Amino acid sequence: MKKYSVSEVLRGVAPIGAEVTVQGWVRTRRDSGAGLSFIALHDGSCFATLQLVAAAGLANYETDVMKLSAGCSVTVSGQVVKSAGKGQDVEVTVSSLTVVGWVDDPETYPIQPKPHTLEFLREVAHLRPRTNIIGATMRVRDCLAQAVHRFFHENGYYWIHTPIITASDAEGAGDMFRVSTLDMANLPRTEAGAIDWDQDFFGREARLTVSGQLNVETYCLALSKVYTFGPTFRAENSNTRRHLAEFWMIEPEIAFADLAADAALAEAFLKYIFKAVLEERADDLAFFAKFVDKTVISRLESFVSSEFAVMEYTDAIRYLKDAKVKFEFVPDWGCDLQAEHERYLTETVVGRPVAVVNYPKDIKAFYMRMNDDGRTVAAMDILAPGIGEIVGGSQREERLDVLDARIAEMGLNRDDYWWYRDLRRYGTVPHAGFGLGFERAVMYATGADNIRDVIPFPRTPRNAKF
RNA sequence: UUCGGCAUAGCUCAGUCGGUAGAGCAAGUGGCUGUUAACCACUGGGUCGGGGGUUCGAGUCCCUCUGCCGAAGCCA
């Protein structure tokens, strides 16, 4: 008997009357009257469960079927039939049921057929994928990840695997995790008493990357259209619902391009991946809309159908100063936009996603391209209703003399950037790119309000248990 | 890291004025002729996060530690 997924049976891939085998985990069992049990089976292939109808005539009805509890794994063969009950179109009349794995001590099985708090589910991260909400989230996460690669592939971009381990001091953004094979209880010392990194694995200090951007720029200046999509690490002791110590980042980089091209790319990209979720994961989105965030579907539909606005930072500050509402932080030219400012701009001023461009140079990174006014750089943040900043990007400084001046101005060590500077010495071109925290996108698409619930195994300060 | 909140049954929670522990769900047993996170009845289930203190007596008050959550900072 051919095996089908729950999704295939429900979608009619196995037609009415077909004999099928399905395998999965029991979510609930209901017994009705003398001699009929209804089993809700899930296998992760879609949101819905498949109803199995087991009659008392089965040889192992009393010994097995009547003992099934949530979480038991089973292999079931039977016939696909039109359901005699309400609530589902098709179901499977069981001809044989084999218990593959029992749940010992059902009372302590953490995943009960009832709502759990997300905080509790984080404590059982190894079992939470069996819940509706985590299963749905991870299907959406996969859908987004596949769409990311599909978008770039269809548009001629190459996926560059930038390194996880880096010996570069130049990445800048935040505290880094150290990578070392030295014996920490007995560190080798130089004559001067410092730790002798020359004896470490790489012969120098090494850390986990906080961004693939600088590395991917090198491939951009050869393959023209490239992107990275991989894990990044921040050792910041930040404990918020929006931060992880290990998260995935998407960073495209385009050659012969300016900030406008960068913004256009971000718009096409974001619309593409969210459209994919709307088209491919309607079942999971319906669940989120019902139980997590009522606006999630309309928000995504509005996002993919609206034309993004573009707004100068200087104008944004003026809008904020003229705003009738009172902000906790007073907006002022030269200050970074606070979350409350970003929400106001995108939700109240323009009412759709907006790219805010050309920020003061003093609040942005050294590699961002200096504008002709000498006081702003070609940076952009894309703000979206309901979330605020979703993408940050910039045109990169391609002029060696200007780059060197910026490095000096910010007190950085020019020698640390020798290979980055080489890109400006040998065939430099204008180029631009942006970064998107992948989990932020998953949060936006699912309505989740804690980032720990959109990654399989969250890594946060004092938490790496699983 | 700073500020605030929380910690009681497998889960979600109640517990009044300090007087010796409760409910719903889950689990177990039985019932019900097609159920929809079924329904009905009964049963079992607790070192009240750890440590210390006040008190005749602490789930309850105080101190401390740990963990979790939220906001801020930082950022993606």
Side-chain angles (χ1 to χ4, degrees), chain A residues 193-232:
Chain A
I195 295 169
D196 185 5
W197 295 110
D198 189 58
Q199 294 190 38
D200 203 351
F201 188 89
F202 296 106
R204 56 187 300 178
E205 288 187 77
R207 296 186 165 81
L208 294 179
T209 183
V210 295
S211 164
Q213 183 200 310
L214 301 188
N215 285 291
V216 87
E217 279 186 52
T218 69
Y219 275 77
C220 174
L221 297 198
L223 304 185
S224 297
K225 296 199 287 188
V226 298
Y227 70 106
T228 71
F229 183 10
T232 51

Side-chain angles (χ1 to χ4, degrees), chain A residues 105-362:
Chain A
D105 194 5
E107 183 166 8
T108 62
Y109 180 62
I111 310 302
Q112 300 172 2
K114 57 165 283 186
H116 293 91
T117 60
L118 291 163
E119 291 82 2
F120 170 71
L121 292 176
R122 283 173 216 145
E123 293 170 13
V124 286
H126 57 312
L127 295 171
R128 70 175 185 166
R130 300 184 186 189
T131 61
N132 279 331
I133 190 165
I134 299 298
T137 301
M138 295 311 156
R139 281 187 295 271
V140 168
R141 185 183 168 104
D142 167 76
C143 175
L144 283 166
Q146 302 289 353
V148 166
H149 287 305
R150 212 162 54 237
F151 172 84
F152 286 125
H153 180 68
E154 289 172 0
N155 287 281
Y157 286 71
Y158 295 108
W159 181 21
I160 304 301
H161 302 102
T162 52
I164 306 294
I165 298 173
T166 174
S168 167
D169 297 328
E171 293 181 7
D175 294 338
M176 300 173 82
F177 289 100
R178 184 180 298 285
V179 176
S180 173
T181 56
L182 293 179
D183 177 2
M184 291 172 76
N186 187 22
L187 290 170
R189 300 281 172 174
T190 62
E191 284 178 15
I195 295 169
D196 185 5
W197 295 110
D198 189 58
Q199 294 190 38
D200 203 351
F201 188 89
F202 296 106
R204 56 187 300 178
E205 288 187 77
R207 296 186 165 81
L208 294 179
T209 183
V210 295
S211 164
Q213 183 200 310
L214 301 188
N215 285 291
V216 87
E217 279 186 52
T218 69
Y219 275 77
C220 174
L221 297 198
L223 304 185
S224 297
K225 296 199 287 188
V226 298
Y227 70 106
T228 71
F229 183 10
T232 51
F233 308 86
R234 303 279 167 92
E236 297 282 352
N237 185 18
S238 67
N239 226 305
T240 81
R241 29 175 285 268
R242 302 181 309 282
H243 291 85
L244 291 167
E246 176 182 298
F247 64 101
W248 286 59
M249 193 145 62
I250 299 153
E251 293 168 298
E253 195 75 27
I254 38 179
F256 303 100
D258 59 12
L259 191 64
D262 199 31
L265 171 65
E267 177 172 353
F269 167 76
L270 290 169
K271 285 179 175 175
Y272 185 97
I273 63 173
F274 290 135
K275 191 153 175 275
V277 175
L278 283 167
E279 287 172 356
E280 297 167 27
R281 294 265 51 111
D283 57 344
D284 296 318
L285 285 181
F287 171 80
F288 295 128
K290 191 171 176 191
F291 291 107
V292 178
D293 176 0
K294 287 182 173 35
T295 68
V296 65
I297 295 174
S298 58
R299 200 176 61 206
L300 289 174
E301 286 173 341
S302 159
F303 189 100
V304 303
S305 63
S306 53
E307 191 178 329
F308 289 18
V310 178
M311 182 188 293
E312 292 282 329
Y313 167 87
T314 301
D315 293 333
I317 293 296
R318 193 173 310 129
Y319 280 119
L320 292 169
K321 281 181 176 296
D322 292 345
K324 297 279 187 288
V325 297
K326 179 131 179 72
F327 295 113
E328 190 184 340
F329 293 90
V330 179
D332 194 25
W333 202 97
C335 295
D336 212 349
L337 299 178
Q338 298 290 324
E340 57 178 343
H341 302 150
E342 294 177 341
R343 296 282 295 265
Y344 178 82
L345 291 171
T346 183
E347 290 167 14
T348 307
V349 177
V350 292
R352 56 198 160 101
V354 56
V356 178
V357 300
N358 297 326
Y359 283 72
K361 67 182 170 67
D362 292 334

